Amino acid sequence: LAMDDKHAPAYMGLGIALLHLGDYAQAWLALDRAESLAPERQKEIQEVKVWLGTKAQAAMNQAPVHSSR
């Protein structure tokens, strides 16, 4: 990205890497950037976003519940 900040596949890769690291918000932003740079790949990027949403929801469901006692 430092050499070419308009390379959509790099943003897709970054988004997937961030997803695996659990940084869902930044992953979503990277995928949004990829989508804006390569609208012809929207379907593929949307599939990754669905996967991202599933992973984020699963992580939220596994988050520890803190008692207010």
Side-chain angles (χ1 to χ4, degrees), residues 3-16:
M3 294 179 70
D4 182 1
D5 67 348
K6 294 187 178 13
H7 189 68
Y11 281 100
M12 287 181 65
L14 176 61
I16 291 169

Side-chain angles (χ1 to χ4, degrees), residues 1 4-9 11 32-40:
L1 291 171
D4 182 1
D5 67 348
K6 294 187 178 13
H7 189 68
Y11 281 100
D32 275 348
R33 180 72 172 139
E35 196 170 20
S36 72
L37 293 171
E40 70 279 3

Side-chain angles (χ1 to χ4, degrees), residues 5 14 23 25 28 34 36 40 49 51 57 59 62 65 68-69:
D5 67 348
L14 176 61
D23 192 345
W28 194 273
S36 72
E40 70 279 3
K49 284 182 168 182
W51 182 37
Q57 185 63 43
Q62 292 178 352
V65 177
S68 60
R69 294 189 235 179

Side-chain angles (χ1 to χ4, degrees), residues 17-39:
L18 290 165
L19 185 156
H20 285 293
L21 291 171
D23 192 345
Y24 304 119
Q26 290 301 311
W28 194 273
L29 292 174
L31 292 169
D32 275 348
R33 180 72 172 139
E35 196 170 20
S36 72
L37 293 171

Side-chain angles (χ1 to χ4, degrees), residues 37-65:
L37 293 171
E40 70 279 3
R41 297 182 76 179
Q42 181 180 16
K43 183 177 185 233
E44 178 184 359
I45 295 166
Q46 287 298 317
E47 289 172 0
V48 176
K49 284 182 168 182
V50 168
W51 182 37
L52 170 58
T54 301
K55 297 286 269 185
Q57 185 63 43
M60 288 175 34
N61 290 340
Q62 292 178 352
V65 177

